[in-house]
Amino acid sequence: MHNDSLTIAGKPFSSRLMLGTGKYPDFSVMREAIEASGAEIVTVSIRRVELKSAGHDGLLDALDWDRYQLLPNTAGCRTAAEAVRVAKLARATTGTNWVKLEVIPDARYLLPDSTGTLRAAEELVDEGFTVLPYVQPDAVLARQLEAAGCATVMPLASPIGSGRGLQNSALIATVLDGARVPIVVDAGLGVPSEAAAALEMGADAVLVNTAVAEARDPVAMAQAFALGVRAGRMAYLAGRMQVRATSSPSSPEMGVVRLPDPEVPT
């Protein structure tokens, strides 16, 4: 595990847990939770920062960005053109080329637009951005985004903020199969065991926000997610046992001393 780093766009990270910055009770709790999580990549909604939305005014000044990789996101963008515009604003504001690309026209379920995401990703890659696109778990789309030059692919586990867990595990498995860039499971995870399950099945990392921010104790939950991610990755590297159709005794049968059956009185 010591040399098992997550590498995105040529940059290594020791943590496979990424954290969001929304919905915390205050900046102090947010800072403590991020610290407890061990996360090195932290995502921020640039649009909400610019609009000074509740919980976002002053956010960029609330963290020490020398310690974290800032990952601006395009949350709130409904079209490819809007997402590209906000990504450029983020780069001008923060100086980073990294962007978590979100194109979400669906206000009810917050499901990403596959066509718009691919179009925006192609344009942003051409503009020199390191693009981490948030998408539905679609293996065909994932390969297209890889071909476009995206640094990762980030399939959703279930709808954003739902806490429903890995509802799309079978489809995520198809995204993982043959992937040439890191796959980061994003959105919908509710508890650390679900993060562990994502890493166990081969995901390279997870991104969590609501599950930590809305926990009764966000700091403790952040630490729990860190442990879950670590356990899941260790299990994946260790290799799970073979699944069998029948039972298999834990103790060897050879060499077992068997007592004779008692005689039945006649």
Side-chain angles (χ1 to χ4, degrees), residues 170-234:
L171 291 174
I172 290 173
T174 68
V175 174
L176 291 168
D177 186 19
R180 299 186 300 276
V181 297
I183 304 301
V184 182
V185 173
D186 180 17
L189 298 179
V191 289
S193 59
E194 293 160 357
L199 272 290
E200 282 175 8
M201 66 187 292
D204 296 281
V206 296
L207 192 154
V208 181
N209 188 170
T210 306
V212 171
E214 292 189 353
R216 185 173 61 250
D217 184 339
V219 177
M221 185 61 79
Q223 187 175 21
F225 263 98
L227 294 171
V229 166
R230 182 173 172 81
R233 180 64 179 176
M234 290 182 71

Side-chain angles (χ1 to χ4, degrees), residues 47 74-80 82-83 101-117 119 134-136 160:
R47 185 176 182 132
T74 62
C77 294
R78 295 169 294 178
T79 66
E82 198 174 2
L101 176 60
E102 301 183 22
V103 181
I104 304 177
D106 170 28
R108 181 171 184 179
Y109 296 107
L110 300 178
L111 296 175
D113 172 9
S114 299
T115 303
T117 300
R119 188 184 310 121
Y134 167 67
V135 294
Q136 301 204 42
I160 294 174

